[in-house]
Amino acid sequence: MSESTRGIPRREFMKAAVAIGGSAALSACLDRGGMPDVPKGPSDLSTLPERQHAWNRFLATDDHGNNVAARHKILLFLNYRGDGTPTDAERETVERSLRSLERAYKRGHDGLLFSIGYSPSYFERFGATDVLPKPKALASFEDPKLDEQDAVVQLESDHPQLVLAAEEALLGNRDELNGVDVSGVTDVFEKADRRTGFVGDGLPADHQDVNGIPDSNPVPEDAPLYMGFKSGFKKNQASEDRITIQDGPFAGGTTQHISNIELHLDQWYEQDSRDQRVGKMFCPVHAEEGKVEGVGNNLGDSSEMTDECIDHVEDHARERGMVGHSQKAAGARKDDSPVILRRDFDSTDGGKAGLHFVAFQRTIEDFESTRTAMNGDDLAGNSSVGQRLNNGILQYMTVTRRGNFLVPPRSLRSLPTPNPT
């Protein structure tokens, strides 16, 4: 960040600072916009939820009751520095750091939201191979790199300064946040990777000067995601109860799947018509009946996947030569409810338009079954729908990375053993 950045609009500047990261980016961010006046967290941390993933009550809602995600995101991947298994002293170091963040900022979209999860590789150091499945390719046309770092911290806030400051605190580069003494985790962990992004009306349009999006700047000004439509409708999301592990040593926790997806939107915006985009994103019926206005805010609290869409997906493949992404995903419901909770976001990491697909669910198998439904393999071959062509939105994306993590309940979040007591 330099004097040359002075001419960059504030919103674009702040997003760029999060993407760059580090002390210099944070300093530039503070120089440009100052630190927001955010209340501290509670003095009694026992008042916070036991579930790390219990974020919904701390998010804003729109006019239809849909949760509105925090706008700026960082995924900080960490590797354990030690050999063998962690010590109690190291657990205390990590817990002290996480508690200092909770004391520094109130939990919320306009404060700070965070969680920490652990990979199958982490648990293998204890000789445990059955805590959760390893990541793998989930379609015949995928060849993703597999994320096997020990842990991942997800940081979110509407304020870019806060996610940067929290990251710097975890990495031991700050000893004070919001008047609270904070400490880092670098005696225990080393940084392995960081990924960043954003979600929310206007942010994708502000950041469409990247590979994967045509030069015509086609992303609608009010779109919350690069593909131009709203997602995360309340009735299309699993509840936090539904994704919570019910029994066993990590009851009260959840599992997290993180994919990195590159987007290829030239045809999406320059060859496909709006009706084709609506049909592929939602359902051909939505296009034929003009159900989707603009980015889809008129749909309310669901994507309106009626029986006309869900029960006739094979008919649509055969007769209309196209099926919708939401139409296929609706087939993965259990007891008429979704099984995954999406908290995904767009990204410009590496100068490419991308999506960090972050999903929480009770078991990794719930995610895999949802992804199998999205693949629509059963629809390809018996119609003009191909394995990826006209098969929802598959032809516009490439999965480059996949990782699975266990997000323990808050009381077990610091370097857990496979069988905590």
Side-chain angles (χ1 to χ4, degrees):
M1 315 300 284
S2 67
E3 287 299 316
S4 63
T5 64
R6 291 291 178 185
I8 300 175
R10 183 179 183 279
R11 196 161 66 175
E12 186 172 345
F13 178 92
M14 293 297 187
K15 178 265 158 195
V18 173
I20 294 169
S23 298
L26 175 59
S27 295
C29 218
L30 297 179
D31 182 54
R32 182 72 176 261
M35 185 62 88
D37 184 14
V38 174
K40 293 182 176 64
S43 54
D44 180 4
L45 297 181
S46 68
T47 60
L48 294 176
E50 171 68 346
R51 299 174 181 178
Q52 288 198 74
H53 56 281
W55 289 8
N56 286 352
R57 79 183 74 169
F58 302 101
L59 296 174
T61 55
D62 65 16
D63 292 341
H64 304 288
N66 301 305
N67 290 315
V68 179
R71 292 169 68 83
H72 297 278
K73 327 269 189 170
I74 293 175
L75 294 169
L76 181 62
F77 291 82
L78 302 169
N79 278 330
Y80 177 59
R81 287 184 179 275
D83 297 323
T85 57
T87 65
D88 287 343
E90 289 170 329
R91 289 189 181 90
E92 291 172 6
T93 295
V94 173
E95 184 62 21
R96 183 166 56 250
S97 176
L98 300 179
R99 285 177 174 258
S100 70
L101 290 186
E102 289 174 332
R103 292 191 179 94
Y105 295 116
K106 73 167 188 176
R107 178 179 284 211
H109 66 95
D110 52 351
L112 180 68
L113 295 164
F114 71 89
S115 66
I116 183 169
Y118 297 87
S119 70
S121 298
Y122 167 80
F123 289 107
E124 282 183 355
R125 72 180 59 253
F126 296 91
T129 58
D130 58 352
V131 177
L132 75 167
K134 289 187 172 184
K136 61 183 180 182
L138 295 177
S140 59
F141 46 82
E142 285 185 3
D143 185 24
K145 294 181 179 178
L146 304 179
D147 280 319
E148 297 182 318
Q149 303 89 342
D150 285 306
V152 61
V153 178
Q154 184 170 355
L155 299 160
E156 301 201 359
S157 177
D158 284 344
H159 302 295
Q161 302 97 317
L162 262 62
V163 290
L164 282 170
E167 180 188 25
E168 287 299 289
L170 286 170
L171 296 177
N173 298 324
R174 289 184 68 96
D175 56 15
E176 181 273 332
L177 287 179
N178 207 21
V180 174
D181 292 338
V182 295
S183 58
V185 297
T186 49
D187 287 345
V188 179
F189 286 118
E190 59 185 1
K191 183 174 76 172
D193 196 7
R194 76 187 294 272
R195 299 170 199 166
T196 68
F198 48 86
V199 66
D201 299 359
L203 284 174
D206 281 350
H207 305 294
Q208 55 185 310
D209 185 20
V210 290
N211 291 333
I213 298 180
D215 295 337
S216 56
N217 293 333
V219 180
E221 288 293 329
D222 56 347
L225 291 165
Y226 274 137
M227 297 198 77
F229 296 107
K230 183 183 180 67
S231 70
F233 296 99
K234 182 178 180 179
K235 291 183 178 177
N236 294 96
Q237 293 273 61
S239 69
E240 290 178 341
D241 286 343
R242 178 64 186 79
I243 65 170
T244 299
I245 297 170
Q246 297 298 296
D247 49 34
F250 293 107
T254 189
T255 70
Q256 181 181 30
H257 179 86
I258 300 175
S259 311
N260 176 237
I261 300 172
E262 288 185 12
L263 300 175
H264 321 289
L265 301 182
D266 290 286
Q267 177 181 329
W268 179 255
Y269 279 117
E270 298 202 327
Q271 297 181 35
D272 289 2
S273 67
R274 175 174 168 81
D275 279 352
Q276 287 174 310
R277 293 199 294 274
V278 170
K280 292 177 182 178
M281 180 60 75
F282 296 97
C283 169
V285 173
H286 284 50
E288 292 161 9
E289 298 183 357
K291 284 187 174 183
V292 183
E293 300 174 4
V295 302
N297 286 322
N298 66 299
L299 294 174
D301 62 0
S302 85
S303 58
E304 295 192 10
M305 286 301 120
T306 62
D307 292 345
E308 191 176 7
C309 287
I310 298 172
D311 294 345
H312 295 279
V313 61
E314 293 182 8
D315 297 336
H316 291 173
R318 187 174 58 254
E319 298 169 3
R320 292 174 168 85
M322 177 196 303
V323 294
H325 169 72
S326 299
Q327 180 181 21
K328 292 183 293 176
R333 290 178 171 233
K334 293 181 181 177
D335 300 325
D336 201 32
S337 296
V339 295
I340 70 170
L341 174 61
R342 294 177 53 174
R343 287 175 174 157
D344 50 294
F345 52 95
D346 279 343
S347 173
T348 59
D349 288 349
K352 302 174 182 177
L355 177 75
H356 294 299
F357 194 96
V358 181
F360 295 86
Q361 51 283 312
R362 189 172 296 172
T363 68
I364 291 298
E365 288 77 9
D366 284 337
F367 177 80
E368 292 177 353
S369 65
T370 301
R371 173 64 205 210
T372 297
M374 291 178 183
N375 285 343
D377 286 343
D378 54 328
L379 305 172
N382 297 319
S383 66
S384 57
V385 169
Q387 195 167 53
R388 302 179 70 179
L389 185 67
N390 295 325
N391 197 337
I393 55 177
L394 294 176
Q395 72 189 92
Y396 308 100
M397 50 182 57
T398 301
V399 177
T400 61
R401 306 195 73 98
R402 288 196 181 279
N404 293 336
F405 299 88
L406 174 79
V407 181
R410 192 164 150 266
S411 57
L412 299 173
R413 65 185 171 180
S414 297
L415 298 166
T417 66
N419 292 293
T421 56

